């Protein structure tokens, strides 16, 4: 097997159901999802040991789901079934709820960083947001699997919650943005609200 095919030498690539230019928004979208996947892999290398075993399993699951998402975004054939399903979104929401409970209450914006793994998860979060924006652009032009957009939206939030929880496990405080107003509301509601 060769790694090179020479079929893309003129600026086109194959997708499921045809060929497109390499700068097509569809290729940009699934290529950016692949970029997210690479940073998830990097985060996994930074989360070693028994303390992070469950998170390791979660991130491996997400890597598989990102491949599913990329495959769905590369699909121009309406007859081909999609891989990513609503249950993945539900699972992300469940995990986020858990991380919110296990992390300090948040009132202000925080700076990306803290531990090395947390910083990498913040990179994954911001690239996921870029992928989401590209998918929005793509859906204005062509039909896409709607679960992909919802999944990317939840995934970026998941990375935020996980990055904060990883800092908790590493006993590293989040650094608040010094000029931030209180932008997040406490989970406790006031009597007059």
């Amino acid at each position: 097997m060769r790694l090179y095919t020479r079929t893309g030498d003129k600026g086109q690539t194959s997708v499921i159901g045809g060929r497109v230019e390499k700068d097509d928004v569809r290729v940009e979208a699934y290529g950016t999802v692949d970029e997210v996947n690479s940073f998830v892999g990097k985060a996994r290398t930074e989360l070693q040991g028994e303390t992070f075993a469950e998170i390791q399993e979660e991130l491996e699951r997400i890597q598989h789901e990102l491949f599913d998402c990329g495959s769905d975004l590369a699909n121009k054939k309406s007859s081909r079934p999609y891989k990513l399903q609503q249950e993945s979104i539900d699972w992300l929401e469940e995990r986020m709820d858990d991380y919110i409970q296990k992390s300090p209450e948040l009132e202000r914006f925080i700076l990306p960083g803290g531990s090395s793994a947390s910083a990498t998860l913040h990179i994954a979060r911001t690239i996921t947001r870029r992928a989401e924006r590209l998918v929005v652009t793509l859906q204005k032009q062509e039909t896409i699997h709607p679960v992909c957009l919802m999944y990317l939206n939840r995934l970026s939030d998941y990375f935020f919650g996980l990055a904060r929880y990883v800092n908790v496990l590493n006993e590293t405080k989040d650094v608040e943005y010094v000029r931030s107003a209180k932008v997040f509301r406490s989970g406790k509601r006031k009597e007059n609200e």
Side-chain angles (χ1 to χ4, degrees):
M1 177 186 154
R2 293 184 314 201
L3 289 178
Y4 58 93
T5 63
R6 300 187 177 118
T7 59
D9 288 351
K10 294 189 178 176
Q12 289 192 326
T13 192
S14 294
V15 295
I16 301 162
R19 288 188 62 79
V20 296
E21 299 295 320
K22 287 189 174 186
D23 63 352
D24 185 274
V25 68
R26 181 178 297 278
V27 178
E28 288 285 349
Y30 72 71
T32 305
V33 168
D34 188 37
E35 193 177 341
V36 172
N37 208 335
S38 295
F39 275 99
V40 174
K42 183 176 186 312
R44 289 183 66 203
T45 68
E46 297 166 341
L47 294 166
Q48 299 297 312
E50 190 59 36
T51 301
F52 301 107
E54 188 176 324
I55 293 171
Q56 277 277 356
E57 289 177 20
E58 285 185 18
L59 291 177
E60 182 176 327
R61 173 182 172 155
I62 286 169
Q63 286 191 288
H64 287 283
E65 291 172 344
L66 284 166
F67 258 97
D68 291 342
C69 182
S71 175
D72 289 345
L73 290 170
N75 180 14
K76 289 177 65 90
K77 289 176 125 179
S78 59
S79 60
R80 183 175 180 266
Y82 293 117
K83 295 179 179 179
L84 200 58
Q85 300 300 318
Q86 177 67 39
E87 72 180 44
S88 295
I89 296 167
D90 298 339
W91 178 79
L92 284 174
E93 290 175 352
E94 175 187 302
R95 298 311 308 134
M96 279 185 280
D97 290 343
D98 185 48
Y99 293 142
I100 288 169
Q101 293 299 317
K102 293 177 177 177
S103 299
E105 191 171 301
L106 188 63
E107 293 183 333
R108 293 176 169 82
F109 287 119
I110 61 168
L111 302 181
S115 64
S116 180
S118 178
T120 300
L121 290 164
H122 277 292
I123 293 169
R125 172 184 61 81
T126 60
I127 297 171
T128 302
R129 285 290 186 209
R130 178 163 30 99
E132 181 184 10
R133 292 189 301 269
L134 288 164
V135 171
V136 168
T137 300
L138 176 60
Q139 80 173 357
K140 291 176 183 176
Q141 300 171 8
E142 300 185 49
T143 301
I144 63 156
H145 183 33
V147 171
C148 285
L149 182 59
M150 293 185 288
Y151 179 80
L152 292 171
N153 183 271
R154 294 310 183 287
L155 184 61
S156 60
D157 293 334
Y158 166 89
F159 287 142
F160 181 83
L162 179 57
R164 293 195 69 232
Y165 181 57
V166 164
N167 276 344
V168 169
L169 293 176
N170 281 315
E171 298 178 356
T172 303
K173 287 188 175 184
D174 288 319
V175 177
E176 290 184 341
Y177 168 47
V178 295
R179 287 177 282 286
S180 177
K182 288 186 178 183
V183 292
F184 300 102
R185 300 179 89 167
S186 168
K188 301 170 192 142
R189 299 181 68 94
K190 294 180 184 173
E191 293 273 333
N192 60 357
E193 289 187 280

